[in-house]
Amino acid sequence: MLRFKRSLLSLIFVIAGSNILLAQKDSGFTLESPNSEIHLEVKIGEEITWSVTNNSQQVISPSRIAMTLEQGEELGSRPEVRDSEKEEINTTIDAINYKKDVIEDNYNQLTLKFKKNFGLIFRAYDTGVAYRFTTSRNRDLTIVSEEVNFNFPEDHMVYIPYANDPANDVYQISFENRYEHIPLSEIVKDTVAFAPVLVELPNGMKAAITEADLESYPGMFLKSGDKDFALKGEFAGYPLEEEQGGHNGLQSFVTKRADYIAKTSGSRSFPWRILIISNEDKELLNNDMVYKLASAPRIENTSWIEPGKVAWDWWNDWNISGVDFPAGINTETYKYYTDFAVEHGIENILLDEGWAPRGEILNTIPAIDLDEIIDYAGSKGVGVWLWSGYLPLAQNMDEALATYSEMGVKGLKVDFMNRDDQKMVNFYYELSRKAAEHKLMLDFHGSYKPTGLQRTYPNVVNFEGVRGLENVKWSNTDFPLYDTRVPYIRMLAGPMDYTPGAMKNANNANFRAINSAPMSQGTRVHQLALYVLYEAPFNMLADNPTNYMDEPESTEFIAAVPTTFDETVALDGKVGEYAAIARRKEDTWYVGAITNWNSRDLEIDLSFLPEGNYEAVIFKDGINANREATDYKREVIDVKSGEQLNVHLANGGGWAARIYPAQ
């Protein structure tokens, strides 16, 4: 039985077809959000345009919508409306493995049907707007291009991550980069960026651009638009020729692309184009639009899907100590990881790259006895996950899924896709469907941003597409700055395989990028808080068991934080400066706050707590954390609903708490 339910009464206003058939030029339609603050206007003339205001402030100026098919047919050129319909929808979604268990799904919808058998659907939520094309044709379609425009009225500042492709194909990237904070007018011409991007508007307002329900279609990049202060969509051409290459030959590089972006069914709905709007920055920390706009679950029985944490090997370079066997990619090491997981309540271990011969997936290296590892872990209630590069898995998908499912593997971490053209998007859906048939979970690393696939196939429990902690092994990126930007931008799209958990922590002056003995930038408590702040149904403990066992208080806190929640409350925050979130699992609350390299004092409002007496286990930056980033203080205090806690965050610091009813 599907956990998704849609029991609703829709109030439908149908405008008589005779009144709108062959609509005259310059006709228009309006749609407003349920709270009447956001207004969307659609103009039908020689072309179709859309515009948006929020609280009477212009967000999007009239922007053209069109789609070009083969032989030059353009949907949106001299359009003729055949029918229209408005609906008011107020229902709920039962979320699966999410940051809340129930989502209020309240929006107004406008459906326009045009001659030539195509349509547009517009939705207005209290948190933004979205639109999508539909077609109803008997034959398959070739989509040459789609025109997606976001014209802004002024030269606003934008947070934008360039693709920065080092090779020949700009569309083949890892989807992880810093955010440039620049005026729209200074976006480098003829350079693409990947969504989400975030635009600063007057009066503290923000507008974020992304997409949802991306299926059998390429992902949307963004570039400087044709008008001043504009962004427009850009799409990768369909791959015609590919060659093996990249890291250990695990990738497939496109060497020739078609002059079209997709070949697809003639009767379908296309991806949603989303504009998320916030009046305060903190609203971006708890937004559900991508999940709401995704297709409903296609898995009836989800009881076998068990998100959780994983003891991870690769980031720490297998550097355990105090043992009587050589640490590394071998059976003894993974049995040791299993024992660590059991002792600390960690649900899974992961065999990352190296357990299989280079470029293979159906064999193991001599030092790995996979049956023994799976049997040992299984006897102790610990799940085993396997890492795989994209190409070996794509070439051996059916055999690999059947083999490892039968052996008792719990899930696969799939890496180095590094594309989102239509062919690669199809791979995501095919793998998700087939993995579900074998009761295997998936973590997409080396991936494009989530677009709601985790709702459609709940066995997909995480995505990378983020400049995660692995980058500290080789980069001097300003991570506390990035850490305080990404929850307002990338996390709008969905969960992030950021892989936190460093026990070696450094301030700005002391940090060094070291591959085999890595450290984090910022304080210990900054790392602890990320387990609360960042959405990740499948979340890794990046450091090695030895370091965690040397830090039992920190490890106990990390292990106790769930990876999915029943409720989320955005407490406070400002993009690029700080963020604070509270999340509830059953009757226990978890709170996380982080700052950039600037120390600051925050007031944590405990009004989210129900009435009653509570006990709080608190981790805060130590008095010397600015000098020695591992310095922290743990304390246990009594708290009540409505209290205000004054907390201090050191440079690159954090604050974390577990709050539960007092006994």
Side-chain angles (χ1 to χ4, degrees):
M1 178 178 180
L2 290 178
R3 292 185 61 192
F4 170 82
K5 70 181 179 183
R6 188 176 178 85
S7 55
L8 58 93
L9 293 176
S10 300
L11 179 60
I12 304 177
F13 301 93
V14 181
I15 303 175
S18 59
N19 294 334
I20 59 174
L21 188 64
L22 305 180
Q24 299 301 309
K25 300 306 178 187
D26 298 323
S27 63
F29 300 87
T30 60
L31 191 67
E32 66 177 26
S33 59
N35 65 7
S36 301
E37 293 181 1
I38 296 175
H39 287 257
L40 184 150
E41 184 173 11
V42 183
K43 287 284 190 180
I44 312 295
E46 291 295 317
E47 58 188 17
I48 303 171
T49 64
W50 68 300
S51 58
V52 181
T53 61
N54 179 43
N55 290 318
S56 301
Q57 180 175 307
Q58 193 80 48
V59 179
I60 298 294
S61 301
S63 302
R64 188 170 187 263
I65 296 172
M67 180 179 284
T68 302
L69 310 183
E70 57 186 336
Q71 298 177 341
E73 181 183 1
E74 186 174 85
L75 308 182
S77 177
R78 297 183 178 179
E80 295 181 276
V81 178
R82 181 167 51 85
D83 196 7
S84 73
E85 178 179 284
K86 279 188 178 181
E87 299 174 85
E88 297 178 4
I89 308 297
N90 190 357
T91 185
T92 58
I93 298 171
D94 288 338
I96 304 173
N97 301 331
Y98 193 54
K99 59 189 175 187
K100 58 191 70 170
D101 56 359
V102 177
I103 300 171
E104 299 294 327
D105 196 19
N106 187 11
Y107 60 90
N108 294 328
Q109 179 167 292
L110 168 66
T111 302
L112 299 178
K113 295 181 180 178
F114 298 87
K115 279 192 167 185
K116 298 185 179 180
N117 295 323
F118 79 97
L120 284 166
I121 301 173
F122 295 87
R123 287 187 184 178
Y125 296 83
D126 290 344
T127 56
V129 298
Y131 78 85
R132 75 191 316 178
F133 270 99
T134 63
T135 54
S136 53
R137 301 192 177 188
N138 295 327
R139 295 182 179 180
D140 288 349
L141 295 177
T142 298
I143 313 299
V144 175
S145 64
E146 181 183 350
E147 189 165 347
V148 185
N149 291 291
F150 302 90
N151 297 336
F152 292 91
E154 299 175 29
D155 194 11
H156 302 310
M157 297 292 288
V158 60
Y159 294 90
I160 187 165
Y162 290 127
N164 282 0
D165 174 64
N168 297 320
D169 189 330
V170 71
Y171 306 110
Q172 184 133 351
I173 58 169
S174 62
F175 299 93
E176 46 184 296
N177 202 353
R178 295 178 293 270
Y179 293 102
E180 302 292 334
H181 188 210
I182 56 177
L184 286 163
S185 61
E186 293 184 12
I187 294 174
V188 179
K189 305 297 182 184
D190 300 320
T191 299
V192 301
F194 50 91
V197 304
L198 183 67
V199 178
E200 294 182 339
L201 305 171
N203 303 314
M205 200 181 302
K206 300 288 191 299
I209 299 169
T210 191
E211 60 185 334
D213 213 20
L214 175 64
E215 182 171 7
S216 189
Y217 203 78
M220 180 177 67
F221 289 84
L222 292 162
K223 63 187 297 184
S224 183
D226 298 328
K227 296 183 179 296
D228 292 338
F229 322 136
L231 292 165
K232 67 181 298 184
E234 175 88 355
F235 303 88
Y238 189 86
L240 294 178
E241 297 177 6
E242 301 175 54
E243 65 180 24
Q244 185 174 354
H247 177 71
N248 288 338
L250 299 171
Q251 297 171 250
S252 182
F253 284 100
V254 179
T255 56
K256 183 179 181 181
R257 293 191 182 272
D259 58 1
Y260 58 85
I261 63 174
K263 286 185 177 290
T264 188
S265 169
S267 183
R268 63 164 293 179
S269 297
F270 289 84
W272 289 101
R273 309 299 169 212
I274 303 175
L275 184 76
I276 295 170
I277 300 171
S278 69
N279 294 308
E280 296 182 88
D281 287 7
K282 72 175 184 179
E283 296 170 9
L284 299 172
L285 298 173
N286 189 20
N287 186 283
D288 303 305
M289 281 188 66
V290 170
Y291 195 93
K292 290 177 182 179
L293 291 164
S295 291
R298 298 176 186 171
I299 302 174
E300 292 191 9
N301 175 20
T302 61
S303 61
W304 57 273
I305 301 171
E306 298 174 338
K309 295 196 185 69
V310 55
W312 186 33
D313 52 1
W314 178 88
W315 188 82
N316 56 74
D317 203 21
W318 298 267
N319 280 327
I320 56 178
S321 57
V323 296
D324 56 4
F325 58 85
I329 306 173
N330 56 53
T331 301
E332 291 81 2
T333 295
Y334 289 110
K335 291 171 75 172
Y336 184 85
Y337 272 80
T338 298
D339 292 338
F340 164 75
V342 171
E343 182 178 350
H344 294 89
I346 307 303
E347 296 91 339
N348 307 283
I349 64 168
L350 169 67
L351 279 65
D352 210 286
E353 184 176 15
W355 66 271
R358 179 175 294 187
E360 297 187 36
I361 190 175
L362 292 168
N363 296 299
T364 63
I365 63 172
I368 290 290
D369 187 329
L370 192 55
D371 282 314
E372 182 177 349
I373 293 170
I374 293 171
D375 289 345
Y376 185 80
S379 70
K380 295 176 177 291
V382 174
V384 174
W385 283 63
L386 300 178
W387 179 95
S388 171
Y390 155 70
L391 195 57
L393 180 57
Q395 293 170 337
N396 302 277
M397 186 184 297
D398 292 332
E399 186 178 1
L401 295 178
T403 298
Y404 292 119
S405 174
E406 185 176 346
M407 289 180 66
V409 169
K410 194 171 181 180
L412 299 176
K413 174 183 174 181
V414 190
D415 207 348
F416 290 109
M417 287 75 68
N418 288 28
R419 288 168 26 207
D420 68 352
D421 49 52
Q422 185 192 21
K423 185 175 181 180
M424 186 59 74
V425 170
N426 289 346
F427 165 79
Y428 277 65
Y429 275 82
E430 180 186 19
L431 178 60
S432 301
R433 175 178 58 82
K434 290 183 175 181
E437 292 171 357
H438 290 283
K439 290 185 168 53
L440 287 168
M441 291 183 283
L442 296 171
D443 172 23
F444 284 111
H445 216 63
S447 68
Y448 60 83
K449 66 190 178 298
T451 60
L453 179 63
Q454 72 277 16
R455 180 184 174 196
T456 308
Y457 287 100
N459 59 314
V460 178
V461 291
N462 215 347
F463 303 81
E464 192 185 20
V466 65
R467 194 175 181 85
L469 193 71
E470 66 181 28
N471 286 269
V472 301
K473 291 164 69 74
W474 54 76
S475 171
N476 288 314
T477 295
D478 184 341
F479 281 92
L481 174 63
Y482 182 81
D483 291 350
T484 52
R485 287 178 171 176
V486 71
Y488 299 93
I489 309 174
R490 162 60 181 82
M491 202 165 73
L492 288 169
M496 308 185 300
D497 196 9
Y498 181 94
T499 66
M503 293 293 102
K504 296 178 180 177
N505 318 107
N507 61 25
N508 204 11
N510 296 336
F511 174 78
R512 300 292 183 273
I514 303 173
N515 184 68
S516 187
M519 66 188 76
S520 73
Q521 292 182 10
T523 70
R524 167 70 55 78
V525 186
H526 185 104
Q527 289 292 303
L528 302 187
L530 294 182
Y531 284 92
V532 180
L533 193 68
Y534 287 178
E535 296 168 30
F538 184 67
N539 209 351
M540 301 196 186
L541 279 74
D543 222 322
N544 69 61
T546 302
N547 289 345
Y548 285 123
M549 288 187 288
D550 287 343
E551 299 287 349
E553 290 182 337
S554 297
T555 304
E556 186 272 337
F557 179 85
I558 291 171
V561 179
T563 61
T564 62
F565 298 87
D566 299 326
E567 185 179 355
T568 289
V569 177
L571 298 177
D572 198 4
K574 188 172 182 180
V575 178
E577 296 190 18
Y578 66 99
I581 285 179
R583 304 191 193 273
R584 177 181 62 84
K585 188 74 167 184
E586 298 177 345
D587 62 355
T588 301
W589 286 85
Y590 304 83
V591 184
I594 61 170
T595 183
N596 56 19
W597 280 122
N598 295 323
S599 63
R600 69 185 70 244
D601 295 304
L602 297 181
E603 193 173 74
I604 301 295
D605 184 353
L606 299 183
S607 296
F608 57 83
L609 293 173
E611 291 296 322
N613 298 317
Y614 294 84
E615 194 169 77
V617 177
I618 292 172
F619 285 75
K620 58 186 181 181
D621 293 323
I623 194 169
N624 293 307
N626 287 342
R627 297 166 55 89
E628 172 50 67
T630 60
D631 186 32
Y632 73 89
K633 183 176 182 181
R634 178 187 183 273
E635 59 184 15
V636 181
I637 64 173
D638 294 327
V639 297
K640 292 182 179 180
S641 177
E643 286 187 354
Q644 309 289 321
L645 297 182
N646 296 315
V647 304
H648 177 75
L649 281 65
N651 300 342
W655 189 89
R658 183 174 73 250
I659 306 173
Y660 46 87
Q663 300 298 318

